[in-house]
Amino acid sequence: MGPTRIYLQRQTEGQYPVLRMSSGQITLMGRWNNVAEALFSLNVEGSFCAQYNPENTIVETYTLLDGDIEIEYRGTRTKMNVGETLDASCYDKIVTFYGTSDAEILMKMDADFYEQLFFETLTLQSEMDAVSRVDGYTYHHCDRIRQYAIEVWKRMDQPKGRLRLLRWGSYFHDIGKLAIPLEILNKPGKLTSDEWETMKSHSLIGAAIMRDHPVEWLKDAAFIVEQHHERYDGKGYPYGLKGDEISIEAAIVSVVDAYDAMTTERVYKRTLTMEEAFVELKMGKGTQFHPDVVDRFIEYFRERNLPDL
């Protein structure tokens, strides 16, 4: 019995499949006239993106039922009113929704496309739960990396059609750590040379996991996992790529990954403030990091006047 059939059976029994994320949860309510309806319970300070693609779906709307949210389009934020509907087909760039309070949003999309996407995402979420059980830091870290990466992508005006690859490539960038022994992963001190070689293998292991994944479109994001520890000057790993040989997606993940590592509390290092981390990123421009990515990432924080996370 396929997932859609199970979902329809549960619907008749009064049960609905739920996708839980750090930004909130999505409840798949049902399909009417081949249009799927889902309720997004968005948390305060949570966010998500809409990226309309007519090859996937014709219908794609978002109606605010309750709460306060802002939408950002082409760098401008506006308040969305309760009862207002946003039709994603009217937007040629990424639209981002930000919860300024807890909010309820009714989403409608072509059922065949959305149901498949929903259940594939449930599969991916269960795999990230496995990462969480290995290392809770990695789980929360990966979620922040995804959010940061999307914001940089928008500011670099990259194609919205590739956003899904960035979203999941950034989220799964550390999935290879599932194969790293815990005594190395959580060692409170400097790694030996052999331990460091083992740790570095997580990018290749992660890419292999992605390329062998049953969710077909996820395989295309493996290059991000593989390249996210390459350096702009060619001194990174695993291949020593440099400059534009490194995909822009991986270059973005490299910068936001470094920032989050510097500003997150770990037992073996001092946590840096946001400003201290910015200094380190600027020092690495053109050597460790892609210069434009560093500039756009710092710009994102400056524009939003975000607190030190």
Side-chain angles (χ1 to χ4, degrees), residues 201-239:
S201 69
H202 81 273
S203 59
L204 287 174
I205 293 171
I209 292 172
M210 299 280 276
R211 292 191 174 109
D212 194 39
H213 203 280
V215 175
E216 198 64 33
W217 53 260
L218 193 68
K219 298 177 181 181
D220 294 335
F223 70 95
I224 302 173
V225 177
E226 194 167 47
Q227 297 178 11
H228 78 279
H229 280 296
E230 299 287 359
R231 289 172 49 114
Y232 198 75
D233 60 8
K235 296 181 180 179
Y237 63 87
Y239 301 123

Side-chain angles (χ1 to χ4, degrees), residues 19-21 51 117-118 120-128 142-143 145-147 149-150 162-175 206 210 213 215 217-222 224-225 249 253:
L19 175 63
R20 293 178 174 85
M21 304 173 293
Q51 51 180 98
L117 177 62
F118 183 93
E120 286 176 341
T121 305
L122 272 180
T123 298
L124 301 181
Q125 189 67 61
S126 67
E127 293 175 1
M128 283 312 300
C142 291
D143 199 54
I145 297 311
R146 173 171 61 179
Q147 295 179 48
I150 290 172
R162 293 181 62 82
L163 180 63
R164 184 165 70 170
L165 294 181
L166 176 73
R167 176 186 288 131
W168 289 108
S170 59
Y171 192 58
F172 278 100
H173 75 283
D174 272 344
I175 194 171
M210 299 280 276
H213 203 280
V215 175
W217 53 260
L218 193 68
K219 298 177 181 181
D220 294 335
I224 302 173
V225 177
E249 291 92 340
V253 173

Side-chain angles (χ1 to χ4, degrees), residues 8-9 30 59 62 69 86 101-102 139 142 150 166 171 211 214 225 282 303 308:
L8 292 173
Q9 177 179 323
V59 176
Y62 303 85
I69 67 172
L86 184 147
S101 76
D102 291 340
Y139 173 75
C142 291
I150 290 172
L166 176 73
Y171 192 58
R211 292 191 174 109
V225 177
K282 290 177 181 177
E303 286 180 355
D308 193 358

Side-chain angles (χ1 to χ4, degrees), residues 18-271:
V18 176
L19 175 63
R20 293 178 174 85
M21 304 173 293
S22 64
S23 58
Q25 71 176 36
I26 300 176
T27 304
L28 190 55
M29 304 300 294
R31 62 153 71 188
W32 291 267
N33 297 323
N34 294 319
V35 173
E37 294 191 1
L39 183 66
F40 198 141
S41 300
L42 183 65
N43 296 334
V44 59
E45 298 184 355
S47 65
F48 71 96
C49 294
Q51 51 180 98
Y52 180 73
N53 185 342
E55 295 180 2
N56 296 329
T57 181
I58 304 301
V59 176
E60 184 174 347
T61 64
Y62 303 85
T63 302
L64 180 60
L65 302 180
D66 188 39
D68 299 309
I69 67 172
E70 293 180 347
I71 58 173
E72 181 186 67
Y73 176 65
R74 291 183 174 271
T76 300
R77 279 206 196 194
T78 57
K79 177 179 171 60
M80 190 172 184
N81 298 312
V82 172
E84 183 179 352
T85 296
L86 184 147
D87 185 344
S89 68
C90 298
Y91 296 80
D92 64 347
K93 295 289 184 180
I94 297 164
V95 180
T96 308
F97 297 75
Y98 298 94
T100 52
S101 76
D102 291 340
E104 301 285 345
I105 302 164
L106 178 65
M107 306 189 302
K108 295 185 179 183
M109 292 186 198
D110 292 23
D112 289 343
F113 166 75
Y114 187 72
E115 288 169 9
Q116 179 177 347
L117 177 62
F118 183 93
F119 288 106
E120 286 176 341
T121 305
L122 272 180
T123 298
L124 301 181
Q125 189 67 61
S126 67
E127 293 175 1
M128 283 312 300
D129 288 343
V131 176
S132 175
R133 288 191 291 272
V134 170
D135 182 5
Y137 163 78
T138 297
Y139 173 75
H140 296 291
H141 168 73
C142 291
D143 199 54
R144 288 191 298 269
I145 297 311
R146 173 171 61 179
Q147 295 179 48
Y148 292 155
I150 290 172
E151 294 294 344
V152 175
W153 186 260
K154 292 191 303 181
R155 279 157 181 77
M156 297 188 74
D157 199 26
Q158 294 296 317
K160 67 174 184 177
R162 293 181 62 82
L163 180 63
R164 184 165 70 170
L165 294 181
L166 176 73
R167 176 186 288 131
W168 289 108
S170 59
Y171 192 58
F172 278 100
H173 75 283
D174 272 344
I175 194 171
K177 287 185 176 179
L178 285 170
I180 305 301
L182 284 177
E183 60 269 22
I184 295 177
L185 193 63
N186 295 319
K187 183 177 179 179
K190 186 175 181 179
L191 299 179
T192 67
S193 58
D194 287 344
E195 289 170 338
W196 177 235
E197 289 304 314
T198 299
M199 179 66 84
K200 289 197 300 183
S201 69
H202 81 273
S203 59
L204 287 174
I205 293 171
I209 292 172
M210 299 280 276
R211 292 191 174 109
D212 194 39
H213 203 280
V215 175
E216 198 64 33
W217 53 260
L218 193 68
K219 298 177 181 181
D220 294 335
F223 70 95
I224 302 173
V225 177
E226 194 167 47
Q227 297 178 11
H228 78 279
H229 280 296
E230 299 287 359
R231 289 172 49 114
Y232 198 75
D233 60 8
K235 296 181 180 179
Y237 63 87
Y239 301 123
L241 303 178
K242 63 181 179 180
D244 291 339
E245 293 173 350
I246 306 167
S247 68
I248 193 63
E249 291 92 340
I252 290 173
V253 173
S254 174
V255 170
V256 301
D257 185 26
Y259 171 83
D260 197 72
M262 288 188 283
T263 56
T264 301
E265 183 177 354
R266 297 294 271 173
V267 295
Y268 53 81
K269 69 174 182 65
R270 182 177 75 87
T271 304

Side-chain angles (χ1 to χ4, degrees), residues 273-291:
T273 66
M274 179 176 68
E275 293 298 336
E276 289 173 331
F278 287 168
V279 170
E280 293 294 322
L281 292 178
K282 290 177 181 177
M283 289 176 59
K285 285 175 58 173
T287 52
Q288 183 174 355
F289 305 120
H290 190 301

